[in-house]
Amino acid sequence: MTKTIAVYGATGHTGRFVVAELVRQGFTPIVSGRNAEALKAEWPDFEARPAAADDSHALDAALIGADAVINTAGPFALTGAAVSAAAVRAGIPYVDVAAEIEANVDTFAAHRDATTPIVPAMAFYGGLGDLLVSAALGDRTSADEVIVAYGLSSWHPTPGTRIAGQISHDRRNGRRVRFADGELQYHDDQPSQEDWPFPEPLGTRRVVKEFTMADVVTIPSHIAVPKLRTAMTLEAAGDLAGADTPAPKAVDELGRSDQTFVVDVLIRTPEGDLRATAHGQDIYAITAPLAVGAVRRLLAGEGRTTGVASAGAMFDPADFLDELAPYLTVTIASSTNGS
């Protein structure tokens, strides 16, 4: 019997990728979001169930008969708690694609006692880095330090990305955030730069040394690590900061932009350094097979724990990455000579 998956935020940029990926993988989508007319116009062939995030009764109705829900509607500071709570009431798995650090912290905190499978940040930011780190560590459950370097050729943010970024900025009162001494720390230090040795063909690039992303929530949720930071290529950070940077533009039949990316992970352990890399095209598009793959595995009973957990804790990370071969090229290697 075909499984039915509700997609909240189905008319958004990432939501459209997720709906298309569900169809490719043989699922039946239920499209949901706050705008009934937009849902019908975008997805005339699927059942539309409009619901505002602040309307719990409408959210409950939107999930009737669904086997799982994928929340793609940012800002997740405004939708995450409501949609995940509706999933818990319905007793179905919840997956979201939140990149917002504080929103992910909220999801872990709100559902620490849940038995319903809940996987936040099952996306390019937060999910992919967590899978890479977990696969490289294997059976290890700790590391001395983790660095996730993002080598983006460009970053044309969606309107949703910009709104979520502003909300996060406001929640922090304009402060920056880092993960150090085993916890999130808010500060006013100015960002610094360094050269990062990405693998070829990207090569060494200048990066913002501490460009903190959702990996600082997902990875430490199950890996004991006192120091964790994420870095971003200078060009991509500049694109994101630029008020006039346009939204992504499709260049192929899948709707992907011409953006390319390399995620380069360095893990320092007492036994030596470990490294894992992944490269592909379009950070928004790659989120779709990550989120849909998570739902498929949860519905197949392949989750490794119950309740709320990140990608690396919930799934077999090496197997999950292998499954992404049509979308990603992944390399996992180890060395003992440092970096």
Side-chain angles (χ1 to χ4, degrees):
M1 183 177 178
T2 302
K3 298 290 186 179
T4 301
I5 312 300
V7 180
Y8 192 76
T11 60
H13 187 76
T14 302
R16 292 194 293 270
F17 281 121
V18 168
V19 172
E21 184 65 25
L22 284 168
V23 173
R24 276 194 290 273
Q25 293 200 27
F27 293 102
T28 298
I30 295 170
V31 294
S32 187
R34 64 180 181 178
N35 190 322
E37 294 304 314
L39 289 168
K40 293 175 183 177
E42 183 71 37
W43 302 111
D45 296 330
F46 300 125
E47 182 181 0
R49 297 181 183 176
D54 60 356
D55 186 340
S56 60
H57 295 295
L59 286 174
D60 288 344
L63 300 188
I64 292 173
D67 294 293
V69 58
I70 301 175
N71 182 9
T72 68
F76 292 89
L78 304 181
T79 69
V83 181
S84 62
V88 170
R89 290 193 297 271
I92 61 174
Y94 169 88
V95 171
D96 72 33
V97 299
E100 299 156 52
I101 292 169
E102 289 79 13
N104 282 305
V105 170
D106 291 345
T107 300
F108 274 98
H111 298 292
R112 60 168 56 98
D113 297 322
T115 56
T116 301
I118 296 171
V119 186
M122 194 66 218
F124 178 78
Y125 293 118
L128 180 55
D130 186 23
L131 289 170
L132 290 167
V133 169
S134 301
L137 282 171
D139 294 333
R140 302 175 182 87
T141 58
S142 64
D144 293 335
E145 182 181 15
V146 171
I147 305 171
V148 183
Y150 287 103
L152 275 57
S153 62
S154 62
W155 188 354
H156 289 194
T158 65
T161 295
R162 289 195 181 278
I163 295 170
Q166 185 59 52
I167 288 179
S168 293
H169 177 274
D170 293 345
R171 289 186 72 174
R172 300 170 192 160
N173 295 318
R175 307 186 77 192
R176 302 179 68 239
V177 60
R178 63 164 64 103
F179 187 90
D181 301 320
E183 64 181 8
L184 292 177
Q185 300 177 354
Y186 290 85
H187 63 91
D188 295 309
D189 299 345
Q190 291 301 305
S192 59
Q193 300 177 16
E194 67 179 341
D195 291 328
W196 185 266
F198 288 100
E200 296 297 340
L202 190 61
T204 298
R205 295 294 179 95
R206 198 72 175 164
V207 300
V208 179
K209 188 175 180 179
E210 195 175 77
F211 194 97
T212 307
M213 302 303 293
D215 309 83
V216 299
V217 180
T218 55
I219 295 168
S221 72
H222 66 108
I223 300 295
V225 56
K227 297 171 59 179
L228 192 158
R229 66 180 174 90
T230 60
M232 180 68 67
T233 43
L234 202 58
E235 298 89 346
D239 282 344
L240 182 63
D244 297 329
T245 304
K249 180 180 179 181
V251 297
D252 65 19
E253 69 282 358
L254 298 177
R256 298 181 299 180
S257 71
D258 62 2
Q259 176 200 57
T260 58
F261 62 80
V262 176
V263 183
D264 189 30
V265 169
L266 175 63
I267 309 164
R268 300 196 185 280
T269 76
E271 296 79 26
D273 293 349
L274 308 170
R275 201 146 198 165
T277 63
H279 63 85
Q281 180 181 346
D282 195 320
I283 63 173
Y284 297 105
I286 194 60
T287 290
L290 283 162
V292 174
V295 162
R296 184 183 57 74
R297 286 170 179 266
L298 290 173
L299 294 178
E302 297 176 14
R304 300 199 300 184
T305 186
T306 58
V308 62
S310 69
M314 182 64 79
F315 307 111
D316 181 322
D319 187 60
F320 203 120
L321 290 169
D322 285 345
E323 185 186 83
L324 293 173
Y327 311 92
L328 281 176
T329 300
V330 175
T331 303
I332 297 176
S334 63
S335 65
T336 56
N337 57 1
S339 174

